[in-house]
Amino acid sequence: MQLIYEQSVNGRRGVRLPVSDVPAAAELPENLLRRQSAALPEVSELDLVRHFTNLSRRNYSLDTNFYPLGSCTMKYNAKVLENAAALFAPFHPMTALLPGGVEFCQGSLGMLYDLGQMLADITGMDEVTTQPLAGAHGEMTGILLIAAYHAARGNKSKKKYVVVPDSSHGTNPASASIAGYEIITVPTASYGDMDIELFKKAMNDEVAAVMMTCPNTLGLFNPHIKEISDIAHSHDALMYYDGANLNAIMGKVKPGDVGFDVIHVNLHKTFGTPHGGGGPGAGPVGVKRELIPFLPQPRIVMNDAGQFLLEDQKAGSIGRTANFFGNFSVMAKAYAYIIMLGREGLIQVSEQAVLNANYIKERLKAYYDLPYDMTCMHECVFSASKQLEHGVHAIDVAKFLIDKGYHPPTVYFPLIVKEAIMIEPTETESKATLDAFIDVMIEAAMTAETNPQLLHDAPVTTPVGRLDETKAAREQNVCCIG
Ligand SMILES: *Cc1c(COP(=O)(O)O)cnc(C)c1O
């Protein structure tokens, strides 16, 4: 493919702009004026359209293929949700913040308020802030809320630690550390969850919070979760729920009912809004009543007449954690998603997600090692250790899948599984899609035994082969895709 710069022809153009009525050199200081014209490609509209269309076809997306990336819940993002978000487009985010502006955006504020109420209901919390812009941002907001709670009770200097299991997502200890805590990591037991005896030993009155993902990153629901939260509370520690895996239990268990005090929800995972290359995420945070005074401001509240108002509660609040009300369009899509599915629909989502993951687990466990062989929730974690006997690593299986037209599952995470292959199909995939994927996974396992070189050489169908992934992130050179 020719680069757009290489197609440039002097004087060729795609559009004719109206003659500028801005005075030349309008009020700009001399040192800011451009001395030479910018070296932009000069191409026709058609050249440009072809360039971007061809580039977009090199992008892998959910709209084209199966995307079983574990822990990321890559479910189909229904197009009707985009239409719903577009309804709100006429409202400028400043409207509500201008004097008297609240009156003009009752619908937008009402949507955010209702979404908060619905998320609170789904998670068993008392109030939700929509400000955090992603899951990790929600974690940081949540831990700051917990810190504010302890400080308000005079325990600021006493509380020093946050406890996490060793299966946790890296953002958990990172968020707690940014908020000023030291981390205590508890190992996973043979039953695939935080070792309850080691947890009891790790707990003390200096622990501020216990951060858990339930089901955890092995896709397993913790049978001791109520006991764990009771122990945490007995030490005046709060329970933080990483909601990245909410898709497994939505409508079945409310985290608030098993003792969690603060949660974040990844709307871009569970609630059907795009993420990754598809758009920004959102990580609303829900809290139990005791933590409401510390929530970011302004809070949206409803008065007796049913009007939505902004409450600036200066004292106690941890302050703003994002501009305006967070990623508004993501909220609009999640709101439409919940309304569209309703209570029964959301229950069906989690049931189907769990069924799909177990189907894959059962069909593949004869071919790949399953270190924690039990009923899983929405995702299952294999190890490529059998393949390693033939010199084939998880990364080789992943690259082979690319040649077969699939986005690979998550590999090498969670860290506690050697050669991890973490598969999350989500509920939106049909049995036919799952079967086709399973067949390719079986083919990879067979090929590892008969022709491992083929897996080492993969991918061969992509514009570039294996990249030095660290170097590629640090020294981006997008021209190499040409
Ligand atoms: C995705 C994920 C996060 C972080 O969420 P972001 O929205 O990507 O910041 C945290 N924990 C787990 C288990 C996750 O899967």
Side-chain angles (χ1 to χ4, degrees):
M1 190 171 144
Q2 227 188 353
L3 295 176
I4 195 79
Y5 280 91
E6 293 165 359
Q7 295 174 44
S8 182
V9 174
N10 263 350
R12 185 168 288 173
R13 56 169 75 196
V15 288
R16 274 170 212 283
L17 297 175
V19 178
S20 171
D21 56 0
V22 181
E27 318 258 315
L28 277 179
E30 187 62 20
N31 62 339
L32 292 182
L33 292 178
R34 185 189 285 283
R35 314 247 161 256
Q36 279 166 340
S37 307
L40 297 174
E42 296 182 66
V43 294
S44 70
E45 180 176 325
L46 181 56
D47 292 337
L48 194 71
V49 167
R50 287 200 177 136
H51 172 74
F52 282 112
T53 305
N54 284 320
L55 269 188
S56 76
R57 286 164 55 169
R58 291 187 173 182
N59 219 359
Y60 192 97
S61 79
L62 255 169
D63 284 357
T64 52
N65 291 91
F66 184 38
Y67 211 131
L69 194 63
S71 212
C72 294
T73 314
M74 304 301 286
K75 62 174 71 178
Y76 171 62
N77 306 135
K79 301 304 164 226
V80 66
L81 307 182
E82 301 290 336
N83 297 348
L87 291 176
F88 291 94
F91 292 93
H92 191 280
M94 279 303 287
T95 314
L97 304 176
L98 295 172
V102 161
E103 209 182 305
F104 295 102
C105 48
Q106 285 291 301
S108 301
L109 293 178
M111 186 278 286
L112 292 174
Y113 181 87
D114 281 351
L115 176 66
Q117 299 268 307
M118 293 191 298
L119 292 174
D121 185 16
I122 291 167
T123 58
M125 293 291 141
D126 292 312
E127 188 163 325
V128 167
T129 171
T130 59
Q131 281 189 25
L133 303 170
H137 194 204
E139 291 169 28
M140 198 192 73
T141 304
I143 296 294
L144 290 176
L145 290 169
I146 290 173
Y149 167 86
H150 288 308
R153 291 156 57 97
N155 291 332
K156 188 177 161 84
S157 56
K158 180 174 163 196
K159 295 290 187 182
K160 297 193 180 82
Y161 303 102
V162 167
V163 170
V164 299
D166 64 356
S167 60
S168 74
H169 195 265
T171 50
N172 291 186
S175 306
S177 170
I178 288 175
Y181 290 107
E182 287 176 52
I183 310 301
I184 299 175
T185 307
V186 180
T188 296
S190 58
Y191 48 81
D193 236 305
M194 185 163 79
D195 190 306
I196 183 89
E197 295 310 320
L198 294 179
F199 169 70
K200 285 178 191 164
K201 287 210 186 93
M203 282 307 293
N204 61 68
D205 290 349
E206 293 184 331
V207 174
V210 178
M211 289 181 96
M212 309 240 346
T213 309
C214 188
N216 67 4
T217 58
L218 293 167
L220 303 174
F221 191 85
N222 192 322
H224 306 294
I225 196 64
K226 185 71 175 71
E227 190 184 349
I228 288 171
S229 41
D230 287 346
I231 293 169
H233 290 148
S234 75
H235 290 282
D236 188 30
L238 296 184
M239 290 292 291
Y240 184 92
Y241 183 85
D242 175 338
N245 294 345
L246 190 67
N247 208 47
I249 61 163
M250 191 164 46
K252 296 284 184 181
V253 181
K254 297 184 182 191
D257 290 352
V258 289
F260 285 98
D261 305 289
V262 183
I263 61 134
H264 81 255
V265 178
N266 306 60
L267 295 185
H268 47 289
K269 293 180 180 175
T270 309
F271 294 97
T273 74
H275 67 307
V285 165
V287 297
K288 286 279 177 69
R289 198 161 308 286
E290 311 81 73
L291 289 118
I292 292 177
F294 313 111
L295 283 173
Q297 55 187 358
R299 282 169 61 209
I300 301 170
V301 293
M302 187 170 71
N303 69 12
D304 292 342
Q307 288 166 322
F308 300 102
L309 307 170
L310 295 181
E311 187 192 274
D312 266 323
Q313 25 126 33
K314 302 259 182 316
S317 165
I318 62 165
R320 273 186 178 282
T321 56
N323 282 334
F324 307 114
F325 303 96
N327 276 332
F328 186 91
S329 76
V330 182
M331 250 73 77
K333 287 175 219 179
Y335 176 78
Y337 181 81
I338 296 172
I339 298 278
M340 180 174 79
L341 285 168
R343 193 174 287 270
E344 291 309 313
L346 293 180
I347 292 172
Q348 226 182 327
V349 162
S350 51
E351 288 179 352
Q352 190 69 42
V354 171
L355 180 63
N356 281 0
N358 277 285
Y359 181 70
I360 290 181
K361 172 178 70 70
E362 285 305 307
R363 276 206 60 200
L364 281 182
K365 75 180 189 189
Y367 304 91
Y368 292 89
D369 181 41
L370 187 64
Y372 299 93
D373 187 1
M374 47 195 102
T375 305
C376 66
M377 299 297 288
H378 64 307
E379 62 196 353
C380 54
V381 182
F382 289 101
S383 159
S385 55
K386 275 191 199 171
Q387 287 66 38
L388 198 54
E389 290 165 19
H390 307 279
V392 168
H393 291 265
I395 190 86
D396 301 316
V397 173
K399 300 297 184 192
F400 178 82
L401 286 171
I402 294 176
D403 277 343
K404 297 290 171 181
Y406 287 97
H407 193 288
T410 296
V411 287
Y412 300 105
F413 180 78
L415 303 176
I416 54 171
V417 173
K418 209 175 76 173
E419 297 291 330
I421 300 180
M422 182 195 216
I423 305 173
E424 181 181 6
T426 83
E427 72 285 359
T428 55
E429 301 296 337
S430 67
K431 180 168 176 295
T433 301
L434 302 186
D435 282 330
F437 170 74
I438 289 165
D439 288 346
V440 172
M441 284 293 289
I442 293 173
E443 190 186 337
M446 299 295 190
T447 310
E449 290 175 22
T450 57
N451 186 4
Q453 194 55 38
L454 201 83
L455 290 136
H456 293 310
D457 292 342
V460 294
T461 56
T462 48
V464 290
R466 297 207 188 189
L467 301 171
D468 176 331
E469 292 180 14
T470 312
K471 197 160 180 279
R474 301 248 161 93
E475 295 171 30
Q476 289 189 352
N477 176 5
V478 288
C479 289
C480 71
I481 57 175

